[in-house]
Amino acid sequence: LCCCEYVDRRGRRNHLAACCCDCEELDDGCDRWLTCKSLPPGALERIADTIADRLRVPWFSGAVRINVSLVPPLVLLPVFLHVAALHFLLGLIILTSLPVVVLWYYYLTHRRKERTLFFLSLGLFSLGYMYYVFLREVVPRGHVEHSQVVTLTCGLILMLAALSRAKKDPGYLPIPAGNEKPSHQGFHNKSIRGSSGGLHGISGAASSRAVNGEAKGYCRMSAEQPAGVQKDWCTKCQLVRPARAGHCRLCGRCVRRLDHHCVWINSCVGEQNHQAFILALSFFMLTSVYGITLTLHTICRGRSLFVALFYCPGAYSDYSSALSFTCVWYCAIVTAGMGYILLIQLLNISYNVTEREARLALRDNTGRRLLGGLVIDTGQYNRGLLCNWGHFLSLGASPPQRSAEDIV
């Protein structure tokens, strides 16, 4: 392939110069529009898929496809923020409508069960653009020290490093090969009881010793599979899932200790990346609050942080201050949303419950609402605050070896 050629979604060789040619869906749609006829079901989706497939840029080994969901944040965010800085009322309207638009797009993609890079692109570009405005508009005023800029930069780098780690494998279960898929006869009516040694049959005496051992010292045992917890069969992945694993309908894979699918990282949060996810949220909160504090102390000098956020008379005296103040409010809205997510995550860890388990408990009416409904305690894995956090901090580590006496 030359730099302007590519293989389209139908497997045919195509060229960038023919981007508007041979598009039956678009031709039929235009004909129906000119004749005032309604489009057939699914026509708009097919046209959108064709346009997205042909939106490419030349590259060395062939034209590279551009993900359409990456474009809106790169274009609209700076435009909206600059328009919002023109007047207080414009800022109020735009900053109020932005969360509504984001929530609407999240609902749309969630209902259609689609993966999108829009939220990841929005988050990363927001970080980069806020940092750019801080260096361009706030630092030149001379009220921010170099050590404070270095601290803010280090916090941003640490947050990006934790985010990169959270983007890696969340703990996907390996999919069996086509000729090695285990038989699922009998799994629909009776489940397999799990054991750390992979044994399906345990004698009554050994089972009673395991239960008694857990009752006496459950803090030293793995909270992942307590006595009586059952494995189940995933009909889509064709495998036996261990306890607390779940199937993500967006990723199409089963994940160990699945918590939820996070649109902000475009990946699942599971056993292998849950710690990095919490670390990224924590670094984001600290860095964002620190940057907001430095900016408000620069453009609203002499006022406390909370007062300056709601009352800063000189914020719209010049365009530079207005843009900085608008970015502060944008950061405050995003920080409030991420802070709520972090709070729910910390509460769930304290009760050793995942978002998936809480959702299933609400559906089956088997959990208790605590702290005004902020957390759902299923009671199945809760072993106390210290043991729950100890279990979370040991996620991803190799399971403890059991002696032959315990297994027998």
Side-chain angles (χ1 to χ4, degrees):
L1 296 177
C2 73
C3 62
C4 295
E5 289 182 317
Y6 64 94
V7 178
D8 60 18
R9 60 193 179 99
R10 297 179 179 178
R12 296 181 299 187
R13 191 166 177 164
N14 215 326
H15 197 277
L16 287 180
C19 61
C20 297
C21 303
D22 193 23
C23 182
E24 296 82 0
E25 294 87 355
L26 184 60
D27 293 340
D28 181 66
C30 292
D31 292 340
R32 287 177 174 270
W33 178 70
L34 292 175
T35 56
C36 300
K37 296 181 180 179
S38 60
L39 293 176
L44 291 178
E45 287 78 3
R46 292 192 295 270
I47 294 174
D49 291 339
T50 303
I51 295 176
D53 183 55
R54 298 186 179 188
L55 187 62
R56 298 173 182 263
V57 293
W59 199 246
F60 298 104
S61 59
V64 179
R65 180 179 175 181
I66 300 176
N67 196 311
V68 182
S69 60
L70 294 174
V71 179
L74 304 181
V75 177
L76 298 180
L77 182 63
V79 173
F80 283 162
L81 291 179
H82 279 276
V83 172
L86 296 176
H87 194 271
F88 171 75
L89 292 179
L90 286 175
L92 183 62
I93 295 173
I94 291 177
L95 292 178
T96 303
S97 60
L98 273 178
V100 177
V101 173
V102 172
L103 289 175
W104 170 81
Y105 187 72
Y106 168 75
Y107 171 76
L108 181 65
T109 55
H110 184 74
R111 186 181 61 179
R112 297 176 62 180
K113 301 179 183 179
E114 294 180 351
R115 296 188 65 179
T116 175
L117 293 175
F118 172 83
F119 299 97
L120 178 62
S121 174
L122 177 62
L124 293 178
F125 186 68
S126 296
L127 288 173
Y129 192 71
M130 295 303 105
Y131 186 69
Y132 167 76
V133 171
F134 179 79
L135 294 180
R136 181 181 176 87
E137 306 293 344
V138 180
V139 174
R141 294 174 179 265
H143 301 296
V144 180
E145 301 178 359
H146 293 289
S147 59
Q148 294 173 326
V149 177
V150 172
T151 302
L152 185 68
T153 305
C154 290
L156 184 62
I157 294 175
L158 291 175
M159 194 276 298
L160 292 177
L163 181 62
S164 175
R165 174 62 186 86
K167 281 285 296 175
K168 295 183 179 179
D169 182 14
Y172 291 122
L173 292 173
I175 298 179
N179 56 351
E180 296 179 358
K181 288 183 180 181
S183 175
H184 58 276
Q185 293 179 358
F187 280 101
H188 298 288
N189 297 326
K190 56 181 180 179
S191 57
I192 298 178
R193 294 187 179 274
S195 64
S196 60
L199 300 179
H200 302 305
I202 301 178
S203 63
S207 178
S208 62
R209 284 201 303 268
V211 173
N212 293 335
E214 183 181 2
K216 292 179 181 178
Y218 52 76
C219 288
R220 296 190 301 272
M221 297 182 63
S222 172
E224 195 68 24
Q225 294 188 28
V229 174
Q230 298 179 347
K231 296 182 179 181
D232 59 353
W233 172 261
C234 179
T235 57
K236 295 183 179 180
C237 294
Q238 296 292 296
L239 53 80
V240 181
R241 295 185 299 204
R244 311 191 75 176
H247 183 87
C248 177
R249 63 179 184 175
L250 298 179
C251 297
R253 297 283 300 275
C254 284
V255 182
R256 294 183 182 275
R257 197 183 180 276
L258 175 63
D259 190 86
H260 69 288
H261 181 94
C262 181
V263 296
W264 295 105
I265 65 174
N266 194 32
S267 177
C268 291
V269 176
E271 183 179 83
Q272 298 294 330
N273 66 341
H274 201 169
Q275 297 173 353
F277 179 73
I278 296 297
L279 200 60
L281 282 177
S282 302
F283 278 129
F284 171 80
M285 292 295 299
L286 294 175
T287 305
S288 179
V289 171
Y290 188 63
I292 290 174
T293 303
L294 293 178
T295 304
L296 287 179
H297 284 171
T298 300
I299 62 178
C300 300
R301 299 188 60 82
R303 299 181 183 275
S304 63
L305 178 64
F306 185 78
V307 174
L309 185 62
F310 292 95
Y311 182 70
C312 185
Y316 287 88
S317 59
D318 59 278
Y319 187 76
S320 176
S321 299
L323 180 61
S324 301
F325 189 72
T326 302
C327 291
V328 162
W329 259 104
Y330 175 74
C331 289
I333 294 173
V334 176
T335 304
M338 294 300 172
Y340 176 78
I341 295 176
L342 180 60
L343 175 63
I344 298 300
Q345 286 289 316
L346 296 179
L347 290 176
N348 287 343
I349 294 171
S350 301
Y351 286 91
N352 200 1
V353 63
T354 63
E355 283 289 325
R356 174 177 175 271
E357 292 166 351
R359 185 172 62 253
L360 294 177
L362 284 178
R363 185 193 66 183
D364 301 334
N365 197 21
T366 58
R368 294 187 303 147
R369 290 180 176 269
L370 301 176
L371 302 178
L374 291 177
V375 63
I376 307 299
D377 182 19
T378 61
Q380 192 173 12
Y381 303 100
N382 190 0
R383 299 294 182 266
L385 180 64
L386 295 180
C387 290
N388 292 340
W389 273 96
H391 167 66
F392 174 76
L393 296 177
S394 64
L395 286 179
S398 58
Q401 299 294 330
R402 299 181 65 184
S403 62
E405 181 183 356
D406 292 336
I407 296 177
V408 174

